[in-house]
Amino acid sequence: MMMGVFISMVCRPGRACRWCAAGYTNICPAVQFIGLPPLQGALQQYIVHPAHLLEPLPDGVSDEAGVILEPLAVALHAVNLIRVRPGQSIVILGTGVLGTCVLAVLALYRGIRVVCVDLMPERLERAREMGADVTIQPHPDADEEAARQIRSAAGGEGADIVFECAGALQTMWNMCEVAAPGAHLAVIGIPEEDKIIFSSGTSRRKGLTLRLIRRSVRTLRPCIELAGRGLIAPEKMVTHAFRAAEVGRAFELVDAYADGVLKALVDMEQW
Amino acid sequence: MMMGVFISMVCRPGRACRWCAAGYTNICPAVQFIGLPPLQGALQQYIVHPAHLLEPLPDGVSDEAGVILEPLAVALHAVNLIRVRPGQSIVILGTGVLGTCVLAVLALYRGIRVVCVDLMPERLERAREMGADVTIQPHPDADEEAARQIRSAAGGEGADIVFECAGALQTMWNMCEVAAPGAHLAVIGIPEEDKIIFSSGTSRRKGLTLRLIRRSVRTLRPCIELAGRGLIAPEKMVTHAFRAAEVGRAFELVDAYADGVLKALVDMEQW
Amino acid sequence: MMMGVFISMVCRPGRACRWCAAGYTNICPAVQFIGLPPLQGALQQYIVHPAHLLEPLPDGVSDEAGVILEPLAVALHAVNLIRVRPGQSIVILGTGVLGTCVLAVLALYRGIRVVCVDLMPERLERAREMGADVTIQPHPDADEEAARQIRSAAGGEGADIVFECAGALQTMWNMCEVAAPGAHLAVIGIPEEDKIIFSSGTSRRKGLTLRLIRRSVRTLRPCIELAGRGLIAPEKMVTHAFRAAEVGRAFELVDAYADGVLKALVDMEQW
Amino acid sequence: MMMGVFISMVCRPGRACRWCAAGYTNICPAVQFIGLPPLQGALQQYIVHPAHLLEPLPDGVSDEAGVILEPLAVALHAVNLIRVRPGQSIVILGTGVLGTCVLAVLALYRGIRVVCVDLMPERLERAREMGADVTIQPHPDADEEAARQIRSAAGGEGADIVFECAGALQTMWNMCEVAAPGAHLAVIGIPEEDKIIFSSGTSRRKGLTLRLIRRSVRTLRPCIELAGRGLIAPEKMVTHAFRAAEVGRAFELVDAYADGVLKALVDMEQW
């Protein structure tokens, strides 16, 4: 049974760095994080962790939901940084775990128009079930046509808000192409190559604002409450579960995007 | 004698587009601008222009100052979009006309630390005269070393605010490298190739905010007032003046970055 | 049949005042408004009005909805000025037309907690039907006790956001008492006596931010769209309709808060 | 010799309240502060205080400057909350210690217009020396005339920003009267009676934003740096110094506003 979700800590309690002191522990240069070297990850049966750095899971929130809470908190952090207003059109590029978490948060709002874009039809089907107003499966080789199609679905002049959650070079470029003048963009995806490339002319002429999203800060507890009240169902994003001994298969499955996998869980208590 | 500075107009008076109606005429998709096709530029002796789209120059503001007012208004617009506070460290990448205009606006503030970066020593000398606290002439082939040097001059963890005014691929990359966690960046420069490239990892880990700057909006009149009160001296940025017949030489000079040119003026009343 | 909703205009097209030019036509010192002297109100069978200052009503939006669109736009303007986030607790003081419009806008959000306060039980019943999480009918003579009760319903430390929609001296005072530290308050109500009074100590110790709401700006069209899509049902706020000859009775009814009236409509086409 | 300036602490290190965790220690409901019961004040020869809650004074900053750093940090906090831009007009109501601290911070900016208002001519003289563009000594019984005069000095339509630093009922009312449409107001003064009263009609028609200022947060260190670099001279606000045995006379002097007193210091090391 899962006891809680790891939270990151103020770097030096009592004399914190200026980011931690200002409440932005997520961008602290000295931040430590489970799974980020030198700290080991959680593929272990037991972990010793300070109790005050665990956010306890209440009864109504399952272990399956628990493993999604961290990316969900990132999504809520991103949505909070961008001001969402009734009447706006919003594009989510990529509906993997992070994009789906953003969609789950946006599904709390009515009166907005959400367009989801992905190459995998089963992910778009899930997006529709979760409340996407429009889904688009673009042709992978027709970038400009895809941008035109997305812009048009978002309402002619483009989207008021774009969440880049795919982390592909193509979607990084397209996030500006599908945006309306004055739009705000949250860049969440992490590309394989350490590069973000977009059009200088497009981004400048539209006067865009880009916010690069780094983890989350103070949104874990609100997410646990939303899950506890049944307003968000994070457990639905766990498509596969493995025993500890099957960890290799879990990684292979996720790496191959096989079998419609969204999030695969490894239960370290089941050998 | 110069009568005024062109201002852009609301696209359709009485039934403006939503950007013009909201006061953001600078990102109107239908905006028209002198010198932007299909409109002709100002290399003519006479231009017919609606009077209400001219911002008149008062007596104390010279023609030389007048030609700098448009980029100065862009600089003030950029500074207004970014919240400058006492105690902050600020980096200006590139001290051409736009970078120098940003410096001229920042020189209105005391209690901040401004670091100017350029490859040309005469530009850095001007920056020092205009109030830059530190100037850095980086080695053009040592990008990482330059970034380290700039970051260190800005105060260890990097700059709270970065103004990218060079428009080079290298400075676009470096703007994120020299920024502190949580920094705000104003991207003003226009690169030759239509591309902006920077590190995904650096920009994300620092949680940066990028604002792409498009012209100016409602900052022309404040700039004229600042020039009229002698608080900014735009005329000092005009390093060369040519007669109408010499227009070719003017373009050659600027293109070659020759003779320490910053801004070259062509006087269409002097043949 | 109603043709459209009046919108206010830019004061001097072509050379607008600085508030109109900046897109804030609602705080233009020279603004003109139907029913605000010297302009006559709309209790007439025919009004001559410039077409471009009418926002047309689409087919799906009834005349009953039409008369509510102006206050609804004020409510959306107020909600837009205040950043609403999932997990927040919100108090609405007063559920007359404006308070009910605020509630209708907030009902677009899930994951927030809305507490409505009014002296009239039938108004609170409507609020519950429209989605209020908690309703409170305070004892009119027990101010401190009411504040404690509301604060507790909003979650112990008070509300993250307060909408003052009653315009009573008592609610103006209480808006600060029921707010949490750091809360944002939208003051919408218009008191009979031209005064707002609240505690200096409470408001300062909590570091509150107050936004005084003046009409609306650019929210009429989004409201018409929300009504057209059935996401908001403004017509439900029209509790009574009168023929033109009955106008006196209409005013008496509203003045007496009689018969559970919320909004009474006078149909100038029915004599 | 003074060792440092007290800073307030995070309420419960390791498991802070939500305000402290978010970096807003100044509005923590459980905040403790030297001189605020149950904590004793500093009129003692020795105080035991945790070292990590002292901000050390560097060599260049005198004890006289030290006693002003706390109100100076409040002033910088207030200025940071309000976005000051070149070209704006600003009114400071009241030039006691806090108003003078606000003026000292604003004196870091050029290109703004600062109007100072006070009943005491010697305070206005000091304000002029410190950089106020205009000073006004209103007739204490002519409120409307004073408001008109201040508004006119601020530029016709009123001030873009108002700092209320007097804490009188009259200035609290007037802060809205002298503001321009869309203005932002920082309310810093603490009135004797626990009440703030202003006109509902004026504040609403102008669409004002009020920020109630509670102490300071993260601005103490920047103020020490500004003092250390000589950009602000807090010691100039100390007009009188007393020995420990004279403490009664010090209070009488300040209470009587006698002898042009601004800040009176009691040196607990001199008996």
Side-chain angles (χ1 to χ4, degrees), chain C residues 19 181 194 196 198 201 208 210 212, chain D residues 19 181 194 196 198 200-201 210:
Chain C
W19 293 279
D194 181 20
I196 293 177
F198 51 81
L208 301 179
L210 273 72
L212 285 297
Chain D
W19 293 278
D194 182 21
I196 294 177
F198 52 81
S200 161
L210 273 72

Side-chain angles (χ1 to χ4, degrees), chain B residues 26 58 68 79 111 135 174 181-182 188 194 202 207 209 214 228:
Chain B
N26 59 321
I68 301 293
V79 173
T135 60
N174 264 346
I188 304 177
D194 183 20
T202 300
T209 300
R214 168 64 159 174

Side-chain angles (χ1 to χ4, degrees), chain A residues 1-261:
Chain A
M1 205 200 65
M2 202 163 160
M3 301 299 289
V5 181
F6 303 127
I7 55 175
S8 58
M9 60 183 295
V10 168
C11 56
R12 283 163 299 164
R15 204 66 177 171
C17 79
R18 65 181 172 112
W19 293 278
C20 287
Y24 301 115
T25 50
N26 60 321
I27 53 171
C28 167
V31 73
Q32 293 193 323
F33 203 75
I34 292 285
L36 185 81
L39 290 200
Q40 299 225 323
L43 285 174
Q44 335 180 23
Q45 202 171 349
Y46 297 104
I47 293 181
V48 177
H49 198 73
H52 74 278
L53 295 178
L54 280 179
E55 195 68 67
L57 285 189
D59 278 354
V61 179
S62 66
D63 288 8
E64 284 73 19
V67 299
I68 301 293
L69 281 167
E70 194 273 333
L72 190 63
V74 174
L76 180 55
H77 172 54
V79 172
N80 278 350
L81 280 182
I82 306 281
R83 201 186 276 246
V84 177
R85 295 171 173 176
Q88 286 183 315
S89 69
I90 302 177
V91 164
I92 301 175
L93 296 173
T95 50
V97 173
L98 273 167
T100 305
C101 283
V102 169
L103 176 59
V105 172
L106 292 179
L108 297 172
Y109 298 76
R110 289 188 302 164
I112 56 174
R113 180 180 183 77
V114 180
V115 179
C116 285
V117 183
D118 206 298
L119 293 174
M120 299 167 71
E122 68 271 22
R123 295 194 163 184
L124 293 176
E125 202 185 313
R126 182 185 294 104
R128 273 192 302 276
E129 283 164 16
M130 289 180 59
D133 296 286
V134 185
T135 60
I136 293 176
Q137 184 189 353
H139 192 288
D141 300 330
D143 235 28
E144 280 189 38
E145 173 54 26
R148 203 168 11 244
Q149 196 183 351
I150 298 165
R151 206 160 45 225
S152 156
E157 295 285 0
D160 299 310
I161 296 171
V162 180
F163 291 93
E164 201 295 319
C165 305
L169 274 179
Q170 222 173 3
T171 48
M172 294 282 187
W173 179 276
N174 264 346
M175 65 184 177
C176 297
E177 304 300 322
V178 305
H184 284 235
L185 284 66
V187 186
I188 304 177
I190 302 181
E192 232 168 295
E193 203 185 346
D194 182 21
K195 265 183 190 169
I196 294 177
I197 309 178
F198 52 82
S199 159
S200 160
T202 300
S203 59
R204 185 185 67 250
R205 270 192 297 273
K206 294 180 178 175
L208 300 180
T209 300
L210 274 73
R211 306 214 63 162
L212 284 298
I213 305 301
R214 168 64 160 175
R215 295 214 178 103
S216 69
V217 58
R218 291 186 300 282
T219 47
L220 186 55
R221 204 176 308 178
C223 283
I224 293 177
E225 283 169 22
L226 290 166
R229 294 168 59 194
L231 290 169
I232 290 184
E235 62 278 5
K236 289 196 178 162
M237 299 182 214
V238 178
T239 52
H240 295 73
F242 292 90
R243 285 176 290 110
E246 298 170 318
V247 63
R249 276 183 50 213
F251 274 89
E252 281 166 23
L253 177 91
V254 170
D255 190 52
Y257 292 88
D259 195 28
V261 67

